[in-house]
């Protein structure tokens, strides 16, 4: 069968998690845009081809709608934008299964009988999802009777109970998908049976893991020669690419540059909103039910929090000593939001916390002389602070940790957060102020200033958090700026000129796939992807996209890579690295004169090392100094004991090796353990290999981007 040969080809390829999921309780995806072609009603274009069969858009849309319906049924709500990003890919994977997998299964006559279907629900071979769903979480035991009871009761309950009706339909959808899932399991199990490990293979596996060799080697890393000294020409890059075409295959991708204008509130918007919050503040202060009032006004619906003093928002922590029950604080600017806080209760129920600043003096080593030098400096600065110098200024000047820029401020911290000597010094302090002597910890000597003595106060705080709205005037001004840029940027040259003229930050991203939704941090950038794949030529500039994750965007298409063998430009960096390695290898090998490893080391000079590996196994994939390099290990064990190789190019440098001696694996009578290990390793990749092979054999043409 062709499929088996394809699986053999791909059995060593890690292709990640198989995209097809036949048990779709939770789904995500993409809701396709309402393109006029799709809505015309008089046309049903093809969105691609799988296994020689054209896929009609109506069929594709039907799969998507089914996923949407299942999600809505299970979650009792329509999918939001983020949840819906996976629907299109999920639907496409289902079509690949139906048109690719099913064809192979039909050729083999694989079917699921009604008895098998029932067996998955209540027989001897319960489906894993059913088993996990009806397993008692307390005892960990599966009860088959619970499944039978559920099945007999849910249909009847669905007649009178809306929630039960949804559960019943969801259960029916699940049961309907079971045969496809079992078919795939059958198919993969059948293919696993085509694997066989002979006794000789098991023996070789044992020897690879057990036989050892003592190795002495010379290694010169490629880094011994500076990259800047080797500048490969385009001709060299093309020659290398032509000789390694299979290594450099590319997908159908696009590369774009873009500029963006964030649709953020202006200072005028913030000021106006702060003024508008004055009325809310007054109402909040007199509200009878603080929590309900805040929930009705806040953009963040989690409004009630019980906080220790070290957990308070900075605006409250800074005035913790004067906080009063029933008082409203704010509005406080918190970036894109303004917050109002109301303290509804204060109690002595929290863990003890304190606030302090410090100046750390590290010693260069734990030697007594070095520790004394650090202590002397700490005492010198302590004396200056006692004499009137600012603790904060001294911390900025002499501090040696991350708190120095903040004048040594550590903020509030609870018990257990600091090392014991430091914590004891702070928590035992009775008054605020400078501690009289340095405190020693494993980090060094600390000068400590107590800014708030310990307390175990706990606060109930109700918060109204409001996003600052962007005014229409602000949006208009941003869009005018974006449109002005677009008017001037008509091609690559003018795009670059406009970027410089308006001092914008140009972003770049490559390797964009047609099924993507994100571009860098823009998670809702589908319109840009569609534009990039539908544009005929590079160098074109997009229109202004005015609502991509709360920003306006103008993009430039800089590169189109069609599926197939890469061009030099597609993989220039990778080719340059490989050709550079080749040239470095030639130079290094030319310098390695001599008959022994030591003579070669002397001839090369700085950068060459001679080392030993006393117990290298035949099956090892890496070696000290070499790094990951199974090819080099194989070359070592191809030598006869006592022989020295000629210098050769390894993965990360040039090497010459001596196989000092070998220690054969002891003879054993039973290799079944190693046979089992080898079988598990080979069969464990069947699912991924099947997926890759069928996708290749199906010759999938994905043209959905043209329809979106």
């Amino acid at each position: 069968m062709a499929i088996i040969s394809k699986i053999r080809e791909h059995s060593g390829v890690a292709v990640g998690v198989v995209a097809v999921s036949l048990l779709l309780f939770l789904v995500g995806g993409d809701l396709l845009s309402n393109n006029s072609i799709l809505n015309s009603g008089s046309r049903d274009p093809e969105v691609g081809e799988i296994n020689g069969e054209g896929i009609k858009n109506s069929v594709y849309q039907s799969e998507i709608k089914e996923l949407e319906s299942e999600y809505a049924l299970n979650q009792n709500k329509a999918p939001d934008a983020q949840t819906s990003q996976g629907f299109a890919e999920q639907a496409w994977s289902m079509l690949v299964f139906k048109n690719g997998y099913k064809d192979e299964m039909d050729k083999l006559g694989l079917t699921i009988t009604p008895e098998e279907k029932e067996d998955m629900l209540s027989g001897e071979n319960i489906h894993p999802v059913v088993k996990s769903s009806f397993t008692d979480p307390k005892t960990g035991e599966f009860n088959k009777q619970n499944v039978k009871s559920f099945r007999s009761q849910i249909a009847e309950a669905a007649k009178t109970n809306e929630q039960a009706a949804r559960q019943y339909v969801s259960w029916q959808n699940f049961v309907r998908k079971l045969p496809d899932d079992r078919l795939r399991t059958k198919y993969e199990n059948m293919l696993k049976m085509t694997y066989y490990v002979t006794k000789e293979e098991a023996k070789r596996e044992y020897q690879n893991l057990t036989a050892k060799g003592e190795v002495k080697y010379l290694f010169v890393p490629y880094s011994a020669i500076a990259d800047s000294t080797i500048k490969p020409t385009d001709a060299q890059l093309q020659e290398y690419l032509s000789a390694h075409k299979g290594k450099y295959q590319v997908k159908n991708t696009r590369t774009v540059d873009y500029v963006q204008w964030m649709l953020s509130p202006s200072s005028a918007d913030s000021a106006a909103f702060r003024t508008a919050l004055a009325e809310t503040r007054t109402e909040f202060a007199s509200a009878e039910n603080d929590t309900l009032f805040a929930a009705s006004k806040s953009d963040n619906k989690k409004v009630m929090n019980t906080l220790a003093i070290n957990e308070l928002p900075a605006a409250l922590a800074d005035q913790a000593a004067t906080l009063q029950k029933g008082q409203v604080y704010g509005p406080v600017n918190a970036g894109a939001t303004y917050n109002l806080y109301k303290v509804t209760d204060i109690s002595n129920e929290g863990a003890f916390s304190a606030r302090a600043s410090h100046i750390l003096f590290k010693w260069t080593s734990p030697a007594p002389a070095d520790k004394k030098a650090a202590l002397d400096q700490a005492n010198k600065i302590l004396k200056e602070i006692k004499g009137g110098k600012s603790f904060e200024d001294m911390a900025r000047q002499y501090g040696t940790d991350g708190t120095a820029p903040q004048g040594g401020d550590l903020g509030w911290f609870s018990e257990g957060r600091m090392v014991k000597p430091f914590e004891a010094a702070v928590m035992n302090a009775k008054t605020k102020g400078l501690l009289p002597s340095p405190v020693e910890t494993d980090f060094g000597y600390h000068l400590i200033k107590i800014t708030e003595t310990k307390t175990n106060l706990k606060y109930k705080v109700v918060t109204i958090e409001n996003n600052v709205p962007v005014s229409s005037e602000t949006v208009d001004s941003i869009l005018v700026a974006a449109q002005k840029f677009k008017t001037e940027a008509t091609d690559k040259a003018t795009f670059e000129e406009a970027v410089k003229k308006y001092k914008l930050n140009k972003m770049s991203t490559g390797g964009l796939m047609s099924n993507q939704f994100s571009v860098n941090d823009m998670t809702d950038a589908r319109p840009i992807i569609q534009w990039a794949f539908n544009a005929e030529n590079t160098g074109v500039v997009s229109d202004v996209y005015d609502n991509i994750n709360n920003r306006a965007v103008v993009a430039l298409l800089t590169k189109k890579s069609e599926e197939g063998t890469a061009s030099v430009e597609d993989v220039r960096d990778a080719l340059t690295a490989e050709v550079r390695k080749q040239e470095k290898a030639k130079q290094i090998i030319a310098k390695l004169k001599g008959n022994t490893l030591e003579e070669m080391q002397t001839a090369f000079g700085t950068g060459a090392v001679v080392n030993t590996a006393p117990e290298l196994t035949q099956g090892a994939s890496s070696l000290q100094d070499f790094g990951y390099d199974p090819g080099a290990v194989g070359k070592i064990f191809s030598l006869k004991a006592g022989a020295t190789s000629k210098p050769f190019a390894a993965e990360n440098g040039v090497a010459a090796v001596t196989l000092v001696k070998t220690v054969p694996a002891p003879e054993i009578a039973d290799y079944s353990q190693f046979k089992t290990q080898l079988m598990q390793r080979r069969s464990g990749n069947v699912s991924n290999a099947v997926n890759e092979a069928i996708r290749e054999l199906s010759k999938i043409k994905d043209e959905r981007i043209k329809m979106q």
Side-chain angles (χ1 to χ4, degrees), residues 245-383:
K245 288 182 179 179
K247 184 179 177 181
Y248 297 99
Q249 297 293 306
V250 294
K251 299 291 186 180
N252 187 15
T253 61
R254 299 292 183 268
T255 300
V256 299
D257 292 346
Y258 64 93
V259 290
Q260 59 186 15
W261 295 261
M262 303 305 296
L263 300 178
S264 304
S266 65
S267 56
D269 293 337
S270 295
F273 187 64
R274 181 185 178 93
T275 300
L277 280 177
E279 182 178 348
T280 302
R281 188 181 193 281
T282 301
E283 293 174 349
F284 193 20
S286 59
E288 292 184 8
N289 189 315
D290 305 307
T291 305
L292 286 178
F293 179 83
S296 71
K297 297 290 185 178
S298 179
D299 291 320
N300 182 350
K301 298 309 176 186
K302 188 178 186 305
V303 297
M304 170 63 80
N305 291 283
T306 301
L307 306 169
I309 195 167
N310 62 301
E311 298 170 328
L312 287 172
L316 298 185
D318 288 339
Q319 52 184 323
T322 60
L323 293 179
Q324 296 180 31
K325 182 178 176 180
Q327 183 68 44
V328 175
Y329 299 88
V332 175
N333 181 252
T337 67
Y338 269 104
N339 298 343
L340 292 170
Y341 304 104
K342 187 173 185 179
V343 179
T344 61
D345 190 37
I346 303 174
S347 64
N348 294 95
E349 299 174 354
F352 278 104
S353 299
R355 185 170 184 174
S357 299
H358 80 138
I359 308 173
L360 173 62
F361 297 87
K362 298 178 181 179
W363 48 70
T364 55
S365 79
D370 291 332
K371 291 183 69 173
K372 183 178 184 303
L375 180 58
D376 288 345
Q377 187 186 23
N379 280 321
K380 176 178 176 295
I381 302 305
L382 178 61
K383 185 176 180 180

Side-chain angles (χ1 to χ4, degrees), residues 254-255 492 535-541 556-560:
R254 299 292 183 268
T255 300
K492 180 174 175 55
E536 293 185 4
N537 302 304
T538 59
V540 297
V541 180
L556 167 71
L557 180 61
T558 60
K559 184 177 176 182
K560 297 173 69 174

Side-chain angles (χ1 to χ4, degrees), residues 2-241:
I3 184 67
I4 293 181
S5 63
K6 285 295 180 184
I7 290 171
R8 300 292 190 222
E9 293 175 21
H10 295 291
S11 62
V13 179
V15 294
V17 177
V18 178
V20 178
S21 174
L22 300 175
L23 306 173
L24 298 170
F25 284 106
L26 292 176
V27 291
D30 170 52
L31 297 176
L32 301 179
S33 60
N34 292 321
N35 187 284
S36 59
I37 294 177
L38 302 183
N39 288 329
S40 64
S42 60
R43 298 183 58 190
D44 190 8
E46 292 185 353
V47 293
E49 185 177 298
I50 301 172
N51 203 23
E53 181 175 342
I55 306 300
K56 294 292 186 180
N57 183 63
S58 59
V59 174
Y60 175 51
Q61 294 295 328
S62 177
E63 293 285 352
I64 295 173
K65 294 297 183 185
E66 182 176 341
L67 295 177
E68 293 175 2
S69 298
E70 288 189 15
Y71 179 90
L73 182 67
N74 285 294
Q75 301 299 318
N76 199 25
K77 64 179 181 180
D80 57 25
Q82 183 176 2
T83 303
S84 61
Q85 283 188 358
F87 280 139
E89 293 315 302
Q90 201 87 328
W92 187 250
S93 293
M94 293 298 295
L95 290 169
V96 170
F97 178 83
K98 290 178 179 179
N99 293 274
Y101 280 79
K102 281 290 189 66
D103 185 59
E104 294 292 330
M105 294 172 185
D106 290 343
K107 290 176 185 177
L108 297 170
L110 293 179
T111 60
I112 298 295
T113 65
E115 291 77 15
E116 286 180 286
K117 183 176 178 180
E118 182 62 29
D119 186 50
M120 286 186 280
L121 297 172
S122 59
E124 298 303 316
N125 300 288
I126 303 294
H127 191 278
V129 172
V130 176
K131 183 169 288 189
S132 65
S133 299
F134 290 91
T135 294
D136 189 324
K138 295 180 180 179
T139 64
E141 294 182 1
F142 168 70
N143 190 332
K144 193 182 298 184
Q145 185 58 44
N146 288 344
V147 184
K148 294 180 179 179
S149 298
F150 172 80
R151 294 175 67 187
S152 63
Q153 295 171 12
I154 190 66
E156 190 64 30
K159 297 176 182 178
T160 57
N161 184 282
E162 183 179 349
Q163 182 178 358
R166 288 198 301 269
Q167 290 179 337
Y168 179 66
V169 175
S170 185
W171 170 256
Q172 292 295 98
N173 287 337
F174 167 68
V175 171
R176 180 169 51 84
K177 288 181 169 66
L178 284 179
D180 280 349
D181 185 58
R182 180 56 59 89
L183 264 181
R184 176 164 177 155
T185 300
K186 272 190 176 184
Y187 184 60
E188 291 181 358
N189 286 341
M190 182 199 69
L191 292 171
K192 287 178 182 179
M193 296 299 293
T194 67
Y195 286 103
Y196 182 75
V197 176
T198 66
K199 181 179 178 180
E200 284 303 312
E201 288 177 308
K203 184 177 180 180
R204 187 162 59 247
E205 174 79 355
Y206 163 70
Q207 290 172 339
N208 283 338
L209 295 172
T210 311
K212 297 177 181 178
E214 181 182 339
V215 179
K216 187 176 182 181
Y217 61 85
L218 163 82
F219 187 76
V220 183
Y222 292 129
S223 59
I225 297 177
D227 287 353
S228 59
T229 63
I230 299 176
K231 299 179 179 179
T233 64
D234 282 358
Q236 288 176 302
L237 299 181
Q238 184 59 59
E239 181 182 359
Y240 185 88
L241 177 60

Side-chain angles (χ1 to χ4, degrees), residues 479 527-528 530-532 542-548 551-555:
L479 295 182
I528 295 175
Q530 294 169 346
W531 164 80
S542 74
D543 291 331
V544 176
Y545 291 103
D546 59 9
N547 193 19
I548 304 291
R551 70 195 82 185
V553 180
V554 175

